[in-house]
């Protein structure tokens, strides 16, 4: 048989929920602070890493190995 009375939320549950809301607000505040501390980068402007050293082709087989007929 189901209870027909109104269920009451205990003070302990209300306190837990309040602490959870406070922790979430603190976490969001820390996140916003970190975001504000990041250096501002204009939209569309990003740093480009120099990858020119990757343009050179390096043959994995040296001339000596090819001449000796060895190839891994």
């Amino acid at each position: 048989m189901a209870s027909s009375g109104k269920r009451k939320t205990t003070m302990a549950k209300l306190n837990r929920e309040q602490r959870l809301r406070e922790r979430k607000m603190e976490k969001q505040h820390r996140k916003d602070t970190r975001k504000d501390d990041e250096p501002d980068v204009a939209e569309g402007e990003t740093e480009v890493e120099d990858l020119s050293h990757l343009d050179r082709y390096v043959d994995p087989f040296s001339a000596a190995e090819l001449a000796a007929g060895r190839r891994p």
Side-chain angles (χ1 to χ4, degrees), residues 48-53:
V48 178
E49 184 179 354
D50 180 24
L51 300 176
S52 62
H53 64 281

Side-chain angles (χ1 to χ4, degrees), residues 3 8-9 12 14 19 24 30 38 48-50 54 63 69 71:
S3 173
K8 296 183 180 180
T9 302
L14 293 172
R19 281 195 318 262
K24 285 185 175 185
R30 286 192 305 269
E38 290 179 2
V48 178
E49 184 179 354
D50 180 24
L54 299 176
R71 197 167 195 183

Side-chain angles (χ1 to χ4, degrees), residues 5 9 15 17 21 27 46 50-51 63 69:
T9 302
N15 290 335
E17 291 171 346
R21 283 190 296 271
K27 183 177 180 181
T46 58
D50 180 24
L51 300 176

Side-chain angles (χ1 to χ4, degrees), residues 36-62:
D36 292 342
D37 290 344
E38 290 179 2
D40 293 334
V41 177
E43 282 189 39
E45 182 182 325
T46 58
E47 290 186 30
V48 178
E49 184 179 354
D50 180 24
L51 300 176
S52 62
H53 64 281
L54 299 176
D55 291 340
R56 290 178 278 171
Y57 176 74
V58 177
D59 187 8
F61 307 108
S62 69

